[in-house]
Amino acid sequence: GGGGGGGASGGGEAAAAHKVAMSPPGGSPLPRRPQLLPVPAADVLYAARHSLLREVRHAAAAVATPRGPQGTAAEAAEAARRLGALRLWVSALARGVPRAVDGGLLARGLAELEVEMDAWEEADLPGEQQWAGMLQRAGISEPSGSQYLSEAATRLVMCTSAMPARHGYPCSLWLLFHTLLARSSHPPAHTPQL
């Protein structure tokens, strides 16, 4: 028995098998846009790395102002929310990033980072240098002076753009969110009130 009927003929059959036309029910005045299936893992991995190397680092730098031992209850609650959100993000990434493209390298690094985050005893986010050290120990760091993220943005598959450094991350972040949601099979054991 053969493997399916219909579709494009000739050399375009394989390409057609990886695309579906996206159109809302009831039609649309907009042209149909082909959607690549499955989602390119390179784009998803780029977003995961970018979030850790840039977004979390900037958040860590923003809250790195020294605080005395006495803070308000509201400050302590906000610090706990930030730390809880970071722990959940690292955990979601560790469980949901694709493993086939890089042989699970990023997923293993995220698992190591998750262990380190669980051992973090401070009441707030790690500082920028502490976060960079955690990433380095987990094998997720970017070499000093490296243009890794800028170069990786030019190799995106689905999230290509004339200005990849500007458009690649928002697009790939959406792909990452959808991938994490699609790969989520169970609710977390604990869901803090954020």
Side-chain angles (χ1 to χ4, degrees):
S9 62
E13 189 171 333
H18 292 341
K19 293 186 179 189
V20 296
M22 302 300 291
S23 180
S28 169
L30 299 174
R32 292 170 60 114
R33 180 178 176 188
Q35 181 73 28
L36 295 173
L37 292 178
V39 172
D43 293 22
V44 173
L45 295 177
Y46 169 78
R49 284 185 174 280
H50 191 288
S51 74
L52 297 168
L53 292 168
R54 295 290 187 274
E55 304 301 327
V56 174
R57 190 188 86 208
H58 291 303
V63 298
T65 55
R67 294 179 181 85
Q70 70 280 10
T72 67
E75 288 173 336
E78 180 60 27
R81 279 192 288 275
R82 282 191 297 264
L83 186 57
L86 178 58
R87 283 185 168 133
L88 286 173
W89 180 242
V90 170
S91 178
L93 290 175
R95 283 159 182 66
V97 296
R99 289 161 169 73
V101 170
D102 69 347
L105 186 63
L106 181 58
R108 282 191 302 277
L110 285 161
E112 291 174 29
L113 183 60
E114 188 176 18
V115 168
E116 195 157 348
M117 286 299 305
D118 286 343
W120 181 253
E121 295 180 1
E122 300 296 322
D124 205 342
L125 295 177
E128 186 175 8
Q129 295 303 319
Q130 293 163 317
W131 181 248
M134 288 175 157
L135 290 177
Q136 186 173 21
R137 287 187 294 279
I140 301 173
S141 65
E142 181 177 32
S144 181
S146 169
Q147 296 297 313
Y148 165 77
L149 289 174
S150 297
E151 292 168 4
T154 64
R155 293 188 300 273
L156 296 172
V157 177
M158 185 180 282
C159 296
T160 58
S161 166
M163 298 187 329
R166 199 174 226 186
H167 301 134
Y169 179 58
C171 171
S172 62
L173 188 60
W174 274 108
L175 292 176
L176 174 61
F177 289 151
H178 287 281
T179 300
L180 293 177
L181 182 60
R183 295 175 134 247
S184 173
S185 59
H186 302 288
H190 66 283
T191 305
Q193 298 296 320
L194 299 178

